[in-house]
Amino acid sequence: MVNKKIFFIGILLLMNPTTALGEWQIKPFIGLSFGGDTTFIDVENAAQTPNITFGASGLLLGEIFGVEADIGHAPVFFQSDDRQLVQRSSVTTASGSVVVALPRRQSEYGLRPYFVSGAGVMHVRIDHHLGVLKVSSTLPAIHIGGGATGFFNSRLGLSWDVRHYYSIGEPTQGKGLSFGGEKLSFWRATMALALRY
């Protein structure tokens, strides 16, 4: 008898997941990382300057609270346009977050602001010419930020987001490739296409 009840509840959830659990949002984004501060040897002084970043996030959002998974990639984080000392570099972030948003009923036809905070990892890679000063390091990290999402119709919208990422915990001791323990922090500002299901 209990199995039949669970089966029918499962069928109801599948028939109307938005009502039962909230709405799903997929957000492919593009933007800039900037304001970096790091102990890694940044020979081109590029971490502080704006660099392109892109990625995607998936969000399950209820009336107020939600959960999010986010992956971002900045492919030339430690490279500048006017210097050619670094052959290849990147910073990749992967994180899970808690989202707190303005109740949907109060923002049905306008922008819906939200606050986001979470934890995950950031992977730092720096390849210099001739293979010297090579860096490949994964650091635990947290982020905090916010943004706003607005929809043109029931499925399609745009989202704007700003977050501050920074490594946490006891600094990892590098192999002579950082000034002291390995640390990195930076800001990320993005615009996303929001797809709602």
Side-chain angles (χ1 to χ4, degrees):
M1 190 70 172
V2 174
N3 288 339
K4 286 185 179 180
K5 287 182 180 179
I6 293 173
F7 174 77
F8 285 117
I9 290 172
I11 293 295
L12 290 173
L13 291 176
L14 290 174
M15 290 174 58
N16 199 356
T18 300
T19 302
L21 300 173
E23 64 184 43
W24 285 99
Q25 295 179 16
I26 305 297
K27 298 179 180 179
F29 62 78
I30 189 167
L32 295 172
S33 62
F34 60 94
D37 184 26
T38 185
T39 59
F40 289 103
I41 297 175
D42 183 10
V43 294
E44 297 192 11
N45 198 28
Q48 298 177 10
T49 61
N51 292 292
I52 189 138
T53 185
F54 58 86
S57 63
L59 170 67
L60 176 58
L61 182 60
E63 182 65 20
I64 298 175
F65 299 102
V67 291
E68 178 201 65
D70 179 281
I71 296 178
H73 183 67
V76 290
F77 192 90
F78 291 95
Q79 294 167 258
S80 63
D81 293 334
D82 56 342
R83 296 164 134 188
Q84 303 296 322
L85 302 174
V86 177
Q87 185 177 20
R88 182 171 44 196
S89 69
S90 65
V91 172
T92 303
T93 58
S95 59
S97 305
V98 174
V99 177
V100 180
L102 187 72
R104 183 174 177 178
R105 63 180 177 273
Q106 295 182 13
S107 58
E108 188 69 34
Y109 301 105
L111 289 175
R112 186 179 186 186
Y114 61 85
F115 166 83
V116 61
S117 183
V121 295
M122 60 172 69
H123 181 74
V124 180
R125 179 177 178 176
I126 308 172
D127 292 332
H128 294 83
H129 292 287
L130 304 177
V132 297
L133 303 177
K134 187 171 184 177
V135 173
S136 180
S137 185
T138 301
L139 308 172
I142 60 175
H143 67 268
I144 188 169
T149 304
F151 284 89
F152 307 120
N153 54 42
S154 62
R155 297 286 184 215
L156 185 64
L158 290 175
S159 184
W160 296 267
D161 187 289
V162 177
R163 304 182 187 198
H164 186 220
Y165 284 82
Y166 47 99
S167 59
I168 58 171
E170 192 66 26
T172 302
Q173 290 302 318
K175 302 170 184 176
L177 305 178
S178 67
F179 297 102
E182 296 175 348
K183 292 182 181 179
L184 174 63
S185 67
F186 63 92
W187 290 88
R188 188 185 82 183
T190 61
M191 184 174 75
L193 184 67
L195 307 171
R196 181 164 62 186
Y197 298 95

Short mmCIF file of all heavy atoms in Angstrom, two decimals, residues 61-127:
data_model
loop_
_atom_site.label_atom_id
_atom_site.label_comp_id
_atom_site.label_asym_id
_atom_site.label_seq_id
_atom_site.Cartn_x
_atom_site.Cartn_y
_atom_site.Cartn_z
N LEU A 61 14.98 26.64 -8.35
CA LEU A 61 14.58 27.77 -7.52
C LEU A 61 13.10 27.65 -7.15
O LEU A 61 12.24 27.54 -8.02
CB LEU A 61 14.82 29.08 -8.27
CG LEU A 61 14.51 30.38 -7.54
CD1 LEU A 61 15.34 30.51 -6.27
CD2 LEU A 61 14.75 31.57 -8.46
N GLY A 62 12.84 27.68 -5.86
CA GLY A 62 11.46 27.69 -5.36
C GLY A 62 10.94 29.11 -5.25
O GLY A 62 11.41 30.03 -5.93
N GLU A 63 9.99 29.31 -4.37
CA GLU A 63 9.40 30.64 -4.20
C GLU A 63 10.42 31.66 -3.69
O GLU A 63 10.43 32.80 -4.12
CB GLU A 63 8.22 30.55 -3.23
CG GLU A 63 7.49 31.85 -2.99
CD GLU A 63 6.78 32.39 -4.24
OE1 GLU A 63 6.54 31.62 -5.18
OE2 GLU A 63 6.48 33.60 -4.25
N ILE A 64 11.33 31.21 -2.81
CA ILE A 64 12.36 32.10 -2.27
C ILE A 64 13.75 31.45 -2.34
O ILE A 64 14.71 32.09 -2.76
CB ILE A 64 12.06 32.49 -0.80
CG1 ILE A 64 10.74 33.27 -0.72
CG2 ILE A 64 13.21 33.31 -0.21
CD1 ILE A 64 10.31 33.59 0.69
N PHE A 65 13.86 30.19 -1.95
CA PHE A 65 15.16 29.53 -1.83
C PHE A 65 15.43 28.61 -3.02
O PHE A 65 14.51 28.08 -3.64
CB PHE A 65 15.22 28.72 -0.53
CG PHE A 65 15.06 29.55 0.70
CD1 PHE A 65 13.84 29.59 1.38
CD2 PHE A 65 16.11 30.32 1.18
CE1 PHE A 65 13.69 30.37 2.52
CE2 PHE A 65 15.96 31.10 2.32
CZ PHE A 65 14.75 31.13 2.99
N GLY A 66 16.72 28.44 -3.31
CA GLY A 66 17.11 27.55 -4.39
C GLY A 66 18.51 27.02 -4.20
O GLY A 66 19.25 27.45 -3.30
N VAL A 67 18.88 26.08 -5.06
CA VAL A 67 20.24 25.53 -5.09
C VAL A 67 20.76 25.63 -6.51
O VAL A 67 20.00 25.54 -7.48
CB VAL A 67 20.29 24.07 -4.58
CG1 VAL A 67 20.00 24.02 -3.10
CG2 VAL A 67 19.32 23.20 -5.35
N GLU A 68 22.08 25.81 -6.64
CA GLU A 68 22.69 26.06 -7.94
C GLU A 68 24.01 25.31 -8.07
O GLU A 68 24.76 25.17 -7.10
CB GLU A 68 22.94 27.56 -8.11
CG GLU A 68 23.61 27.94 -9.41
CD GLU A 68 24.28 29.30 -9.34
OE1 GLU A 68 25.24 29.45 -8.55
OE2 GLU A 68 23.84 30.20 -10.05
N ALA A 69 24.29 24.83 -9.27
CA ALA A 69 25.62 24.32 -9.63
C ALA A 69 26.17 25.22 -10.73
O ALA A 69 25.45 25.58 -11.66
CB ALA A 69 25.52 22.88 -10.11
N ASP A 70 27.45 25.60 -10.61
CA ASP A 70 28.03 26.61 -11.51
C ASP A 70 29.44 26.18 -11.92
O ASP A 70 30.22 25.73 -11.08
CB ASP A 70 28.08 27.96 -10.80
CG ASP A 70 28.69 29.06 -11.64
OD1 ASP A 70 29.93 29.12 -11.74
OD2 ASP A 70 27.93 29.87 -12.20
N ILE A 71 29.73 26.31 -13.21
CA ILE A 71 31.08 26.09 -13.73
C ILE A 71 31.48 27.31 -14.55
O ILE A 71 30.73 27.73 -15.45
CB ILE A 71 31.17 24.82 -14.59
CG1 ILE A 71 30.88 23.58 -13.74
CG2 ILE A 71 32.56 24.70 -15.23
CD1 ILE A 71 30.89 22.29 -14.52
N GLY A 72 32.64 27.88 -14.25
CA GLY A 72 33.13 29.03 -15.00
C GLY A 72 34.58 28.82 -15.43
O GLY A 72 35.34 28.12 -14.76
N HIS A 73 34.95 29.43 -16.56
CA HIS A 73 36.30 29.26 -17.09
C HIS A 73 36.80 30.59 -17.64
O HIS A 73 36.14 31.21 -18.48
CB HIS A 73 36.28 28.21 -18.21
CG HIS A 73 37.64 27.90 -18.78
ND1 HIS A 73 38.62 27.28 -18.04
CD2 HIS A 73 38.17 28.16 -20.00
CE1 HIS A 73 39.70 27.14 -18.80
NE2 HIS A 73 39.46 27.67 -19.99
N ALA A 74 37.95 31.02 -17.14
CA ALA A 74 38.63 32.22 -17.63
C ALA A 74 39.90 31.79 -18.33
O ALA A 74 40.90 31.45 -17.67
CB ALA A 74 38.94 33.18 -16.48
N PRO A 75 39.92 31.73 -19.68
CA PRO A 75 41.01 31.07 -20.41
C PRO A 75 42.33 31.82 -20.49
O PRO A 75 43.35 31.23 -20.80
CB PRO A 75 40.41 30.86 -21.80
CG PRO A 75 39.39 31.93 -21.95
CD PRO A 75 38.84 32.17 -20.57
N VAL A 76 42.36 33.12 -20.23
CA VAL A 76 43.62 33.88 -20.33
C VAL A 76 43.81 34.74 -19.08
O VAL A 76 44.23 35.89 -19.15
CB VAL A 76 43.65 34.76 -21.61
CG1 VAL A 76 43.77 33.90 -22.84
CG2 VAL A 76 42.41 35.66 -21.68
N PHE A 77 43.53 34.16 -17.93
CA PHE A 77 43.49 34.90 -16.67
C PHE A 77 44.80 35.60 -16.34
O PHE A 77 44.81 36.73 -15.83
CB PHE A 77 43.10 33.96 -15.53
CG PHE A 77 42.73 34.65 -14.26
CD1 PHE A 77 41.42 35.02 -14.01
CD2 PHE A 77 43.69 34.93 -13.28
CE1 PHE A 77 41.08 35.66 -12.83
CE2 PHE A 77 43.36 35.57 -12.11
CZ PHE A 77 42.05 35.94 -11.88
N PHE A 78 45.92 34.96 -16.61
CA PHE A 78 47.23 35.53 -16.27
C PHE A 78 47.96 36.04 -17.51
O PHE A 78 49.19 36.11 -17.52
CB PHE A 78 48.09 34.49 -15.55
CG PHE A 78 47.59 34.14 -14.18
CD1 PHE A 78 46.77 33.04 -13.99
CD2 PHE A 78 47.92 34.91 -13.08
CE1 PHE A 78 46.30 32.70 -12.72
CE2 PHE A 78 47.45 34.59 -11.81
CZ PHE A 78 46.64 33.48 -11.63
N GLN A 79 47.22 36.43 -18.56
CA GLN A 79 47.83 36.93 -19.79
C GLN A 79 47.26 38.30 -20.15
O GLN A 79 46.06 38.54 -20.02
CB GLN A 79 47.57 35.96 -20.94
CG GLN A 79 48.25 34.61 -20.76
CD GLN A 79 47.72 33.56 -21.71
OE1 GLN A 79 46.93 32.71 -21.35
NE2 GLN A 79 48.18 33.64 -22.97
N SER A 80 48.16 39.18 -20.61
CA SER A 80 47.75 40.51 -21.07
C SER A 80 48.00 40.61 -22.57
O SER A 80 48.70 39.80 -23.16
CB SER A 80 48.51 41.61 -20.32
OG SER A 80 49.89 41.52 -20.59
N ASP A 81 47.40 41.63 -23.18
CA ASP A 81 47.52 41.79 -24.64
C ASP A 81 48.89 42.27 -25.07
O ASP A 81 49.36 41.93 -26.16
CB ASP A 81 46.46 42.78 -25.14
CG ASP A 81 45.05 42.22 -24.99
OD1 ASP A 81 44.91 40.98 -24.97
OD2 ASP A 81 44.11 43.02 -24.85
N ASP A 82 49.53 43.09 -24.24
CA ASP A 82 50.77 43.73 -24.67
C ASP A 82 52.04 42.98 -24.26
O ASP A 82 53.13 43.37 -24.63
CB ASP A 82 50.83 45.17 -24.14
CG ASP A 82 50.70 45.22 -22.63
OD1 ASP A 82 50.22 44.23 -22.04
OD2 ASP A 82 51.07 46.25 -22.04
N ARG A 83 51.91 41.88 -23.50
CA ARG A 83 53.08 41.10 -23.12
C ARG A 83 52.87 39.66 -23.56
O ARG A 83 51.75 39.18 -23.59
CB ARG A 83 53.29 41.15 -21.61
CG ARG A 83 53.60 42.54 -21.09
CD ARG A 83 53.39 42.57 -19.59
NE ARG A 83 54.49 43.23 -18.90
CZ ARG A 83 54.62 43.25 -17.59
NH1 ARG A 83 53.77 42.63 -16.82
NH2 ARG A 83 55.63 43.90 -17.04
N GLN A 84 53.94 38.99 -23.89
CA GLN A 84 53.84 37.60 -24.36
C GLN A 84 54.74 36.68 -23.54
O GLN A 84 55.40 35.80 -24.08
CB GLN A 84 54.25 37.55 -25.85
CG GLN A 84 53.43 38.44 -26.76
CD GLN A 84 51.97 38.02 -26.81
OE1 GLN A 84 51.65 36.84 -26.80
NE2 GLN A 84 51.08 38.99 -26.86
N LEU A 85 54.75 36.88 -22.22
CA LEU A 85 55.60 36.09 -21.35
C LEU A 85 54.96 34.77 -20.95
O LEU A 85 55.66 33.82 -20.62
CB LEU A 85 55.98 36.90 -20.11
CG LEU A 85 56.69 38.23 -20.37
CD1 LEU A 85 56.87 39.00 -19.08
CD2 LEU A 85 58.04 37.97 -21.04
N VAL A 86 53.63 34.71 -20.94
CA VAL A 86 52.90 33.50 -20.55
C VAL A 86 52.32 32.86 -21.81
O VAL A 86 51.66 33.51 -22.61
CB VAL A 86 51.77 33.82 -19.55
CG1 VAL A 86 50.98 32.56 -19.21
CG2 VAL A 86 52.36 34.44 -18.29
N GLN A 87 52.58 31.58 -21.98
CA GLN A 87 52.10 30.88 -23.17
C GLN A 87 50.62 30.53 -23.07
O GLN A 87 49.86 30.66 -24.03
CB GLN A 87 52.92 29.59 -23.36
CG GLN A 87 52.58 28.83 -24.64
CD GLN A 87 53.47 27.60 -24.80
OE1 GLN A 87 54.06 27.13 -23.84
NE2 GLN A 87 53.58 27.11 -26.01
N ARG A 88 50.20 30.08 -21.88
CA ARG A 88 48.81 29.68 -21.69
C ARG A 88 48.49 29.78 -20.20
O ARG A 88 49.32 29.47 -19.36
CB ARG A 88 48.62 28.24 -22.18
CG ARG A 88 47.21 27.72 -22.07
CD ARG A 88 47.05 26.40 -22.77
NE ARG A 88 48.17 25.51 -22.46
CZ ARG A 88 48.47 24.42 -23.16
NH1 ARG A 88 47.76 24.10 -24.21
NH2 ARG A 88 49.49 23.66 -22.79
N SER A 89 47.26 30.20 -19.89
CA SER A 89 46.84 30.28 -18.49
C SER A 89 45.33 30.19 -18.40
O SER A 89 44.62 30.48 -19.37
CB SER A 89 47.33 31.59 -17.85
OG SER A 89 46.63 32.70 -18.40
N SER A 90 44.84 29.81 -17.24
CA SER A 90 43.39 29.75 -17.03
C SER A 90 43.08 29.61 -15.56
O SER A 90 43.91 29.17 -14.76
CB SER A 90 42.77 28.57 -17.80
OG SER A 90 43.24 27.34 -17.29
N VAL A 91 41.86 30.00 -15.22
CA VAL A 91 41.29 29.73 -13.90
C VAL A 91 39.90 29.14 -14.15
O VAL A 91 39.08 29.74 -14.84
CB VAL A 91 41.20 30.99 -13.02
CG1 VAL A 91 40.43 30.70 -11.74
CG2 VAL A 91 42.58 31.52 -12.70
N THR A 92 39.66 27.97 -13.59
CA THR A 92 38.38 27.29 -13.74
C THR A 92 37.76 27.11 -12.36
O THR A 92 38.44 26.65 -11.43
CB THR A 92 38.55 25.91 -14.41
OG1 THR A 92 39.18 26.10 -15.68
CG2 THR A 92 37.21 25.23 -14.62
N THR A 93 36.49 27.47 -12.22
CA THR A 93 35.79 27.32 -10.95
C THR A 93 34.63 26.34 -11.10
O THR A 93 33.97 26.30 -12.14
CB THR A 93 35.23 28.67 -10.46
OG1 THR A 93 34.35 29.21 -11.46
CG2 THR A 93 36.36 29.66 -10.19
N ALA A 94 34.40 25.56 -10.06
CA ALA A 94 33.25 24.66 -9.99
C ALA A 94 32.69 24.77 -8.58
O ALA A 94 33.44 24.61 -7.60
CB ALA A 94 33.64 23.23 -10.30
N SER A 95 31.41 25.07 -8.46
CA SER A 95 30.86 25.34 -7.13
C SER A 95 29.39 24.97 -7.03
O SER A 95 28.67 24.89 -8.03
CB SER A 95 31.04 26.82 -6.76
OG SER A 95 30.38 27.64 -7.71
N GLY A 96 28.96 24.75 -5.81
CA GLY A 96 27.55 24.60 -5.48
C GLY A 96 27.15 25.74 -4.59
O GLY A 96 27.95 26.19 -3.75
N SER A 97 25.92 26.23 -4.75
CA SER A 97 25.51 27.44 -4.04
C SER A 97 24.09 27.33 -3.50
O SER A 97 23.28 26.55 -3.99
CB SER A 97 25.58 28.66 -4.98
OG SER A 97 26.83 28.80 -5.57
N VAL A 98 23.82 28.19 -2.52
CA VAL A 98 22.47 28.43 -2.04
C VAL A 98 22.03 29.79 -2.57
O VAL A 98 22.80 30.75 -2.54
CB VAL A 98 22.42 28.42 -0.50
CG1 VAL A 98 21.03 28.81 0.00
CG2 VAL A 98 22.81 27.04 0.03
N VAL A 99 20.81 29.86 -3.07
CA VAL A 99 20.27 31.09 -3.65
C VAL A 99 19.06 31.54 -2.84
O VAL A 99 18.21 30.72 -2.48
CB VAL A 99 19.87 30.88 -5.12
CG1 VAL A 99 19.25 32.15 -5.71
CG2 VAL A 99 21.07 30.44 -5.94
N VAL A 100 19.01 32.84 -2.54
CA VAL A 100 17.84 33.44 -1.89
C VAL A 100 17.35 34.54 -2.81
O VAL A 100 18.08 35.50 -3.10
CB VAL A 100 18.19 34.01 -0.50
CG1 VAL A 100 16.96 34.62 0.15
CG2 VAL A 100 18.80 32.94 0.39
N ALA A 101 16.11 34.42 -3.29
CA ALA A 101 15.58 35.35 -4.29
C ALA A 101 14.34 36.05 -3.77
O ALA A 101 13.67 35.58 -2.84
CB ALA A 101 15.24 34.59 -5.57
N LEU A 102 14.03 37.19 -4.38
CA LEU A 102 12.77 37.86 -4.12
C LEU A 102 11.65 36.89 -4.48
O LEU A 102 11.73 36.20 -5.49
CB LEU A 102 12.67 39.13 -4.98
CG LEU A 102 11.48 40.05 -4.70
CD1 LEU A 102 11.66 40.77 -3.37
CD2 LEU A 102 11.35 41.08 -5.83
N PRO A 103 10.60 36.79 -3.66
CA PRO A 103 9.51 35.87 -3.99
C PRO A 103 8.99 36.08 -5.42
O PRO A 103 8.84 37.21 -5.87
CB PRO A 103 8.44 36.20 -2.96
CG PRO A 103 9.20 36.73 -1.79
CD PRO A 103 10.36 37.49 -2.39
N ARG A 104 8.75 34.98 -6.11
CA ARG A 104 8.36 35.05 -7.51
C ARG A 104 7.07 35.85 -7.70
O ARG A 104 6.92 36.59 -8.67
CB ARG A 104 8.19 33.64 -8.07
CG ARG A 104 7.84 33.62 -9.54
CD ARG A 104 7.83 32.24 -10.10
NE ARG A 104 7.42 32.26 -11.49
CZ ARG A 104 7.35 31.20 -12.26
NH1 ARG A 104 7.68 30.02 -11.78
NH2 ARG A 104 6.96 31.29 -13.52
N ARG A 105 6.13 35.72 -6.78
CA ARG A 105 4.85 36.41 -6.92
C ARG A 105 5.02 37.94 -6.89
O ARG A 105 4.17 38.67 -7.37
CB ARG A 105 3.87 35.95 -5.85
CG ARG A 105 4.29 36.25 -4.44
CD ARG A 105 3.27 35.75 -3.41
NE ARG A 105 3.74 35.98 -2.06
CZ ARG A 105 4.50 35.16 -1.39
NH1 ARG A 105 4.92 34.03 -1.95
NH2 ARG A 105 4.86 35.44 -0.15
N GLN A 106 6.13 38.42 -6.30
CA GLN A 106 6.37 39.86 -6.23
C GLN A 106 7.16 40.38 -7.43
O GLN A 106 7.34 41.59 -7.57
CB GLN A 106 7.13 40.20 -4.95
CG GLN A 106 6.34 39.93 -3.68
CD GLN A 106 7.09 40.32 -2.44
OE1 GLN A 106 8.12 41.00 -2.50
NE2 GLN A 106 6.60 39.89 -1.28
N SER A 107 7.67 39.48 -8.28
CA SER A 107 8.50 39.92 -9.40
C SER A 107 8.12 39.21 -10.70
O SER A 107 8.96 39.02 -11.57
CB SER A 107 9.97 39.65 -9.08
OG SER A 107 10.17 38.28 -8.80
N GLU A 108 6.86 38.83 -10.81
CA GLU A 108 6.42 38.03 -11.97
C GLU A 108 6.69 38.74 -13.29
O GLU A 108 7.05 38.11 -14.27
CB GLU A 108 4.92 37.73 -11.83
CG GLU A 108 4.38 36.76 -12.85
CD GLU A 108 4.91 35.35 -12.65
OE1 GLU A 108 5.13 34.94 -11.51
OE2 GLU A 108 5.12 34.67 -13.67
N TYR A 109 6.53 40.06 -13.33
CA TYR A 109 6.65 40.79 -14.60
C TYR A 109 7.82 41.77 -14.59
O TYR A 109 7.83 42.74 -15.33
CB TYR A 109 5.34 41.52 -14.90
CG TYR A 109 4.17 40.57 -14.99
CD1 TYR A 109 3.25 40.49 -13.95
CD2 TYR A 109 4.01 39.74 -16.09
CE1 TYR A 109 2.18 39.61 -14.02
CE2 TYR A 109 2.94 38.85 -16.17
CZ TYR A 109 2.04 38.80 -15.13
OH TYR A 109 0.99 37.91 -15.20
N GLY A 110 8.81 41.53 -13.77
CA GLY A 110 9.97 42.41 -13.72
C GLY A 110 11.22 41.64 -13.37
O GLY A 110 11.26 40.41 -13.43
N LEU A 111 12.26 42.36 -12.98
CA LEU A 111 13.49 41.72 -12.58
C LEU A 111 13.33 41.06 -11.20
O LEU A 111 12.71 41.64 -10.31
CB LEU A 111 14.63 42.73 -12.53
CG LEU A 111 15.14 43.26 -13.88
CD1 LEU A 111 16.17 44.35 -13.65
CD2 LEU A 111 15.72 42.14 -14.71
N ARG A 112 13.90 39.89 -11.07
CA ARG A 112 13.86 39.17 -9.80
C ARG A 112 15.27 39.13 -9.21
O ARG A 112 16.11 38.34 -9.62
CB ARG A 112 13.33 37.75 -10.01
CG ARG A 112 13.11 36.97 -8.72
CD ARG A 112 12.56 35.59 -9.01
NE ARG A 112 12.22 34.90 -7.79
CZ ARG A 112 11.82 33.63 -7.74
NH1 ARG A 112 11.72 32.92 -8.86
NH2 ARG A 112 11.53 33.06 -6.58
N PRO A 113 15.58 39.99 -8.24
CA PRO A 113 16.91 40.01 -7.65
C PRO A 113 17.14 38.78 -6.77
O PRO A 113 16.20 38.20 -6.22
CB PRO A 113 16.95 41.30 -6.84
CG PRO A 113 15.56 41.74 -6.71
CD PRO A 113 14.73 41.05 -7.72
N TYR A 114 18.41 38.41 -6.62
CA TYR A 114 18.75 37.28 -5.79
C TYR A 114 20.13 37.46 -5.17
O TYR A 114 20.96 38.22 -5.65
CB TYR A 114 18.71 35.97 -6.59
CG TYR A 114 19.69 35.93 -7.75
CD1 TYR A 114 21.02 35.54 -7.57
CD2 TYR A 114 19.28 36.29 -9.03
CE1 TYR A 114 21.91 35.51 -8.63
CE2 TYR A 114 20.15 36.27 -10.10
CZ TYR A 114 21.46 35.89 -9.89
OH TYR A 114 22.36 35.87 -10.94
N PHE A 115 20.35 36.74 -4.07
CA PHE A 115 21.63 36.67 -3.38
C PHE A 115 22.13 35.24 -3.51
O PHE A 115 21.35 34.28 -3.42
CB PHE A 115 21.43 37.04 -1.91
CG PHE A 115 22.60 36.70 -1.02
CD1 PHE A 115 23.68 37.55 -0.92
CD2 PHE A 115 22.61 35.52 -0.29
CE1 PHE A 115 24.76 37.24 -0.11
CE2 PHE A 115 23.67 35.20 0.54
CZ PHE A 115 24.75 36.07 0.63
N VAL A 116 23.44 35.06 -3.73
CA VAL A 116 23.99 33.73 -3.91
C VAL A 116 25.30 33.59 -3.14
O VAL A 116 26.10 34.54 -3.08
CB VAL A 116 24.20 33.41 -5.41
CG1 VAL A 116 25.17 34.40 -6.05
CG2 VAL A 116 24.66 31.99 -5.63
N SER A 117 25.49 32.43 -2.54
CA SER A 117 26.74 32.15 -1.84
C SER A 117 26.99 30.65 -1.87
O SER A 117 26.05 29.86 -1.76
CB SER A 117 26.69 32.64 -0.40
OG SER A 117 27.93 32.43 0.24
N GLY A 118 28.26 30.27 -2.03
CA GLY A 118 28.54 28.85 -2.11
C GLY A 118 30.01 28.54 -1.97
O GLY A 118 30.83 29.41 -1.67
N ALA A 119 30.33 27.26 -2.20
CA ALA A 119 31.71 26.78 -2.04
C ALA A 119 32.02 25.78 -3.13
O ALA A 119 31.12 25.18 -3.72
CB ALA A 119 31.89 26.14 -0.66
N GLY A 120 33.30 25.61 -3.38
CA GLY A 120 33.74 24.66 -4.39
C GLY A 120 35.25 24.69 -4.52
O GLY A 120 35.97 24.79 -3.52
N VAL A 121 35.72 24.64 -5.75
CA VAL A 121 37.16 24.64 -6.01
C VAL A 121 37.47 25.59 -7.17
O VAL A 121 36.60 25.88 -8.00
CB VAL A 121 37.70 23.24 -6.34
CG1 VAL A 121 37.59 22.31 -5.15
CG2 VAL A 121 36.99 22.65 -7.56
N MET A 122 38.72 26.06 -7.20
CA MET A 122 39.23 26.79 -8.37
C MET A 122 40.55 26.13 -8.79
O MET A 122 41.40 25.84 -7.95
CB MET A 122 39.38 28.29 -8.10
CG MET A 122 40.32 28.65 -6.99
SD MET A 122 40.63 30.45 -6.86
CE MET A 122 39.06 31.07 -6.31
N HIS A 123 40.65 25.88 -10.08
CA HIS A 123 41.88 25.28 -10.60
C HIS A 123 42.66 26.35 -11.36
O HIS A 123 42.13 26.99 -12.28
CB HIS A 123 41.57 24.12 -11.53
CG HIS A 123 42.81 23.46 -12.08
ND1 HIS A 123 43.61 22.65 -11.31
CD2 HIS A 123 43.41 23.54 -13.29
CE1 HIS A 123 44.63 22.24 -12.03
NE2 HIS A 123 44.54 22.77 -13.25
N VAL A 124 43.90 26.55 -10.96
CA VAL A 124 44.78 27.57 -11.55
C VAL A 124 45.81 26.88 -12.43
O VAL A 124 46.47 25.93 -11.98
CB VAL A 124 45.48 28.39 -10.45
CG1 VAL A 124 46.40 29.44 -11.07
CG2 VAL A 124 44.46 29.03 -9.52
N ARG A 125 45.95 27.38 -13.65
CA ARG A 125 46.96 26.83 -14.56
C ARG A 125 47.73 27.98 -15.20
O ARG A 125 47.14 28.94 -15.71
CB ARG A 125 46.30 25.99 -15.65
CG ARG A 125 47.30 25.43 -16.63
CD ARG A 125 46.64 24.55 -17.66
NE ARG A 125 47.63 24.07 -18.62
CZ ARG A 125 47.35 23.22 -19.59
NH1 ARG A 125 46.14 22.75 -19.75
NH2 ARG A 125 48.30 22.84 -20.42
N ILE A 126 49.06 27.87 -15.17
CA ILE A 126 49.93 28.86 -15.83
C ILE A 126 51.06 28.10 -16.51
O ILE A 126 51.78 27.35 -15.86
CB ILE A 126 50.52 29.88 -14.83
CG1 ILE A 126 49.44 30.52 -13.96
CG2 ILE A 126 51.29 30.96 -15.58
CD1 ILE A 126 49.97 31.40 -12.84
N ASP A 127 51.20 28.28 -17.82
CA ASP A 127 52.30 27.68 -18.58
C ASP A 127 53.12 28.80 -19.20
O ASP A 127 52.63 29.55 -20.05
CB ASP A 127 51.77 26.77 -19.69
CG ASP A 127 51.08 25.53 -19.14
OD1 ASP A 127 51.45 25.10 -18.03
OD2 ASP A 127 50.17 25.01 -19.80
#
